[in-house]
Amino acid sequence: MAEPTSARRWVGRVIFPLLVAAIALVQLLPIRTTPTIFPMPDVILCLTCLWVARRPDLVPVWIVAGIFLLSDIFFQRPPGLMAGLVVILTEVLRRRASALRSMSFVAEWTIVGVGIVALTIANRSVLIIALADRAPLGPVMLQLMLTVMIYPALAFANMIAFGINRPGLGEVDAFGRPL
Amino acid sequence: MVLILFAVFVVWRIDSPRVERFRAEVIDRVVPSFDWAMAPLTGTVHLFTEFQSYRRLVEQNRDLRRELQQMKAWKEAALQLEQENAKLRDLNNVRLDPALTYITGVVLTDSGSPFRQSVLINVGSRDGIMDGWPAMDGIGLIGRISGLGNETARVLLLTDTSSRIPILIQPSGQHAMLTGDNTNSPLIEFLENPDLVRPGDRVVSSSDGGVFPADLLVGQVVLGSDGRLRVRLSADYERLEFLRVLRSQPRESILDPGALIAPRDTSQSTDAAQPEEPASAEGTNG
């Protein structure tokens, strides 16, 4: 009984980075090289929040840190800043994961949304304090809105594809600990 | 862990060039190894977007024929002008810069972020590329090399918010800066006399500050919807596939004033340096 569940956890831990790598690869494809006024939502950030809020055991903190440090490097962002902020956000979510489970979906969505907004504000403030280059405000706001908006769609897709649902109240893992 | 990540950020802020070099190196390691997956994917996506245009194939073909007819007339005119130009250059003893040769690279990835406009190409310091060299497609200027790996190089596009290049606006000869602002048409700034510039004027790069070779076609002046002068770029940014990186040699600079005014010894002759000066002065003026 213990074997399959533990194995499933490791499969989950492998699936997440692979999923993120696939998304990053698609984003890096040189399909649109002209600037757009309509930026794509930050799918990787939204996905990470979703997995952490629903199945914190599958996304340990070192995976989050590694993924975002690498994506900082690849997407030409200041390295480390976004990664650090995302780690803080996911740790906050992780601590509330059991509370989130008993709330309605709208409440979960709101909390994650507020978290993402706070992350964007913090990111921008640090960049202003550090006198670093900042992206223009308008598209950033638009991207922020889109990122929060796609959360339900991502939640649905992940539930269908990978079974990332919210664990029931009495569910326990292989060692009998509550999920 | 958060502290480590923020420490990375602080290090980047303090010693940006070193960290950027590290970034270029990481990308240089990883991206070429994903080429097998990226090339077919990009090809497939392009196939689908092009498939939509097949439906309009007949009318497109007709349009193209008509355009070709016009182009033939232009080609004839261009040939005649070229011959005339060559004759006049010969008469005036003009020397053109023979050092502009190029290396062609294939675009591997774009920046992956909606706020950064850059592409990664598959030639790097191994092929002799250096930071700051200009990149063109067949027609116009695309950007310049900013960030160099062994097998890859990043081209900062003219549309990026941190791109600034010196330009010359053609019939009036006005100097200005071209400033990217994350839109399709970059902004013209620091123009001395905007009254002399009209929409439709040709914009070419200038060698002010010794950053760029002069006379690379950039685009045409247009009046933006916000009432500011912008440049419609000649290069086809929709389909960046092959880029030419121009080898640009640093320009020889004239440091000493020569011995024209100062009294000189009759025994020392500085005449050997004299014939060089008019030629290079002409080169800088374009």
Side-chain angles (χ1 to χ4, degrees), chain A residues 25 27-35 39 65 72-74 76-81 87 126 130-131 135 139 143, chain B residues 1-2 5-6 9 12-13 19 23 30 38 42 45 107-112 114-117 154 182-184 237:
Chain A
L25 201 68
Q27 284 188 358
L28 278 173
L29 287 185
I31 292 162
R32 284 199 62 95
T33 38
T34 54
D72 276 351
I73 288 174
F74 276 94
Q76 307 288 304
R77 289 189 300 234
L81 174 60
V87 167
V126 174
L131 300 174
Q143 188 190 35
Chain B
M1 185 167 287
V2 173
L5 292 170
F6 283 143
F9 173 67
W12 171 79
R13 198 56 209 144
V19 178
R23 187 205 295 267
V30 178
M38 286 182 150
T42 317
V45 173
V107 172
L108 290 176
T109 70
D110 64 7
S111 68
F115 312 120
R116 297 264 164 210
Q117 305 300 329
R154 184 163 293 279
N182 223 353
T183 60
N184 275 322
Y237 273 66

Side-chain angles (χ1 to χ4, degrees), chain B residues 168-171 198 200-204 215 217-221:
Chain B
L168 184 71
I169 299 171
Q170 215 25 298
R198 287 162 200 280
D201 286 0
R202 264 164 53 89
V203 175
V204 295
D215 286 333
L217 180 63
V218 176
Q220 280 188 331
V221 177

Side-chain angles (χ1 to χ4, degrees), chain B residues 142-213:
Chain B
I142 296 255
R144 69 188 147 87
I145 302 290
S146 144
L148 201 58
N150 190 29
E151 296 172 37
T152 56
R154 184 163 293 279
V155 179
L156 189 75
L157 303 183
L158 296 182
T159 46
D160 189 89
T161 43
S162 51
S163 158
R164 308 271 187 282
I165 63 156
I167 53 169
L168 184 71
I169 299 171
Q170 215 25 298
S172 55
Q174 295 268 313
H175 291 264
M177 292 295 281
L178 190 65
T179 310
D181 62 347
N182 223 353
T183 60
N184 275 322
S185 31
L187 208 60
I188 298 177
E189 278 185 340
F190 304 111
L191 194 59
E192 282 166 39
N193 191 351
D195 297 336
L196 292 178
V197 174
R198 287 162 200 280
D201 286 0
R202 264 164 53 89
V203 175
V204 295
S205 70
S206 93
S207 60
D208 288 350
V211 187
F212 254 44

Side-chain angles (χ1 to χ4, degrees), chain A residues 99-145:
Chain A
L100 282 172
R101 201 180 306 164
S102 53
M103 293 180 196
S104 66
F105 175 72
V106 177
E108 178 194 332
W109 184 14
T110 315
I111 288 175
V112 171
V114 168
I116 293 176
V117 171
L119 177 129
T120 312
I121 293 173
N123 187 15
R124 212 173 164 79
S125 333
V126 174
L127 286 181
I128 290 175
I129 292 168
L131 300 174
D133 267 1
R134 294 178 299 278
L137 189 60
V140 172
M141 299 299 277
L142 204 62
Q143 188 190 35
L144 175 63
M145 254 164 52

Side-chain angles (χ1 to χ4, degrees), chain B residues 9 32 50 54 69 81 111 125 135-136 161 163 172 185 197 202 247 276 278 284:
Chain B
F9 173 67
E50 269 158 23
Y54 280 157
Q69 209 63 34
L81 283 176
S111 68
S125 55
M136 306 180 74
T161 43
S163 158
S172 55
S185 31
V197 174
R202 264 164 53 89
R247 290 199 180 86
E276 287 300 316
T284 10

